Amino acid sequence: MENPHIMQSAVAPPPLPATLVFAPIVRRVPDKPLVLVVDDDMIMREMLQIALEDEGFRVTTTGDGAEGLRCFGQVQPDIVVTDANMPVMDGFALCEALRARSASQYVPILMLTAAQDTDSITAAFTCGATDFATKPLQENLIGHRLRYLLQGSRNLSELARSESRLANAQRIGRIGNWDLNISEDAVSSSAEACRILGAQPVHSPRTWIEYLRFIYQDDRAQVARWMAEMIRTGQPTSLEHRVVRQDGSLRYVFVQAEIATDDDGKATHVSGTIQDISDRKEASERIAYLAMYDALTGLPNRRLCTERLDTILARASRRGGTVAVMIVGLDGFKRVNEARGHSTGDALLVEVSGRLKDNLRQGDEIAYTSSGKSSLDAVARLGGDTFAITLTDLGPGENAAAAATRVQALLSGPCVIDGESLHVTASVGIAVFPVDGSSGPELLTNAESAMHAAKLERRNGIRFFTAEMNAGAARKLAMANELRSAIDTEQLSLHYQPQVDLASGRIVGAEALIRWTHPVRGPISPADFIPLAEELGLILRLGEWALRTACTTARSWQRAGMPPVRVGVNVSPSQFREPDFPRMIERVLVETGLDARCLDLEFTEGVMIGDPEAAIETMRVLRRMGVQLAIDDFGTGYSSLSYLRLFPVQRLKIDQSFVRTLDADEQSTAIVETVVMLGRALKLNVIAEGVETHAHATRLRALGCDEVQGYLVSRALPEGEFRAKLESDWRLAH
């Protein structure tokens, strides 16, 4: 029997270890490769050294395998020539030891054996030798033989490295490759393909039938047809399907394949790739979901609501039916958000959405399934605290009113959030198809107009849409557009209301108040455009403009020789909660040159109570700058004395609603007295707003109030008039 090792190529590759993961070191063969000669025959060593050096090699020699192993680690030769039979450690043991080292796995080893010693030749290949040569050697050929071995080893090393890189790239990209031998029905898969299928390489599919068993049952027929069609047409194609891994998990894969043919054009192989796209699929589905559904409540959003509403209206138009859209807006939700924080507000919205969805009758559903049964998407969240409910197959309009009343009753029960009982009311606007609109967007818009009208009239109200409401909505839209341009076209200005020290009668500060003078309609009330700025998201831009203008103006007074006075600027809740808010304040102070001690930021109680810990930290940052802080409209919000004592504020401002009824209303008097006493106990300055009579000022002075502002002192003045008043006040004092 022929020895199979003798029939191998002269450059037989060494066996690769099963756990090879990293790419091998690619050895660049130098112009003069280093040869390690290991032979116990000194004459043979010297003969080889002379012959190889004449051929342009560098040579190092040792006398036995053990010494050769040590020498290898020291000199790192490019090739090893070793005798088979040596004392201490023979060539076979040396070969095994070298192949066990990762650094020498691809170094060529030429084993020298006696002529016709076939057993040694077989053993040499078994131990990992690259080639063998019989003694006596042909010295004129040994150099050519070694260069051939070096080139083959280098090619093998580079190939292994390329394969390792490909395997790593496939692992990172979650792409495996596979091949189907059509005639033999044999499937081969890469390691990454096996991982995607959830199979160990030993259990990977070997046939097409076995591969189909990994495919999700509902997708198997489609995959089988895909493969048959590709073999029939010979056209490359791709397919997305699901696989079931051995642990039972479901994964989405994307498969691409092409056909290989023989010389006659007959399909012989199908080669392809398989990529795990589960994460991408999940992200895509999540994006698609968020495009149609509200992330907080899980209800359809405005887009999906509009699409489904258009479908319902088309059906109602064919049948001559009536459809009503109710817009439900929670009353006072903004105050809840400010006083309790956004987490409480979110929890309240989830509770409200659950009540609406779970308690509406089947006939109120917003859409229908293909089976004709009603779906569960009766309610949609349009944004903020606004919900939409579509009522189908209605008779007279009073049915919609009855449904609206029932919704209000449904929401009137207490909502327990984090152990606290909150009571909610809702204003409802109703628009009816086909009278109030012929499309989904039109009905929604008109119903929203009716809801806003209900809120303006009174809380917990119900209003049907009227044509006059469109005019109001148009005016609001026009004002929104005009407000955007007003900031850029200098239509806005600041007026300054003096704040006077009761003890000395001197002006010690001024509150900056925004005024808008429209070029056509004249002055527009802040009560109209400030809420609009909040709604449109313009309040941040408007607030920074007011701050910068006030600081610039206050600094100009000082440069004109006026005494330094505080300038108070109101800060909205959305401004206060901006992470960049303290840095914005610092930036404006630096750019305008105003001393931080001359800036007084006024906050409402709800801003601080919403997230006390974060509010305290923000205010501490501002106080470290030197900025003054005041609680505006004190007594009207949700106050907590346990937190108030921790707030690093300098003053409390008593709301004008209590001051104007001072001495005329016992409750107002008690509140004012309490706030003044509280301020003195906490060592805070107390300012009373809305002081209009001398009697008010006298009473406040007697109570111990520090400062006042109001019409008794002065209305809010344009900058020039305030400067003149400040200059006059300063001259009188001197």
Side-chain angles (χ1 to χ4, degrees), residues 164-187:
S164 179
R165 284 176 170 172
L166 176 60
N168 283 334
Q170 288 186 344
R171 177 181 55 80
I172 294 170
R174 298 183 181 180
I175 302 176
N177 60 280
W178 53 270
D179 182 86
L180 169 63
N181 185 316
I182 299 173
S183 62
E184 297 179 6
D185 188 24
V187 174

Side-chain angles (χ1 to χ4, degrees), residues 500-621:
V500 171
D501 178 73
L502 275 175
S504 65
R506 295 276 312 280
I507 296 175
V508 293
E511 180 178 2
L513 301 169
I514 299 180
R515 296 292 185 261
W516 179 12
T517 303
H518 192 277
V520 176
R521 291 189 278 134
I524 297 178
S525 170
D528 292 332
F529 70 81
I530 294 295
L532 184 61
E534 289 271 12
E535 182 180 337
L536 297 174
L538 293 174
I539 197 65
L540 298 180
R541 188 176 169 202
L542 192 63
E544 184 171 351
W545 172 87
L547 174 73
R548 188 178 300 277
T549 302
C551 290
T552 300
T553 302
R555 181 61 181 137
S556 72
W557 297 336
Q558 296 173 11
R559 287 176 176 153
M562 298 296 102
V565 296
R566 300 186 320 264
V567 60
V569 178
N570 291 284
V571 176
S572 73
S574 52
Q575 275 183 289
F576 183 82
R577 296 190 180 102
E578 278 291 300
D580 192 49
F581 179 66
R583 287 190 292 274
M584 186 270 287
I585 297 293
E586 183 178 29
R587 184 173 62 251
V588 170
L589 289 172
V590 170
E591 292 173 0
T592 60
L594 183 68
D595 190 322
R597 293 171 295 182
C598 294
L599 176 61
D600 192 10
L601 298 179
E602 300 185 6
F603 309 90
T604 61
E605 299 166 81
V607 166
M608 298 177 290
I609 301 301
D611 189 348
E613 289 75 15
I616 291 171
E617 181 55 33
T618 299
M619 284 188 281
R620 284 174 178 167
V621 172

Side-chain angles (χ1 to χ4, degrees), residues 20 28 53 64 73 90 97 100 175 211 251-252 279 323 369 382 420 499 501 524 546 581 605 710 727 731:
L20 180 63
R28 181 182 180 277
E53 287 178 347
D64 66 70
D90 61 18
I175 302 176
Y211 180 86
R251 307 294 292 179
Y252 284 86
D279 292 346
V323 177
T369 65
L382 303 186
E420 184 178 5
Q499 296 171 335
D501 178 73
I524 297 178
F581 179 66
E605 299 166 81
E727 183 177 6
R731 287 176 177 172

Side-chain angles (χ1 to χ4, degrees), residues 433-456:
F433 169 85
V435 178
D436 299 327
S438 58
S439 68
E442 187 178 8
L443 274 183
L444 288 172
T445 298
N446 291 342
E448 284 181 286
S449 297
M451 185 270 291
H452 289 303
K455 279 182 176 287
L456 289 175

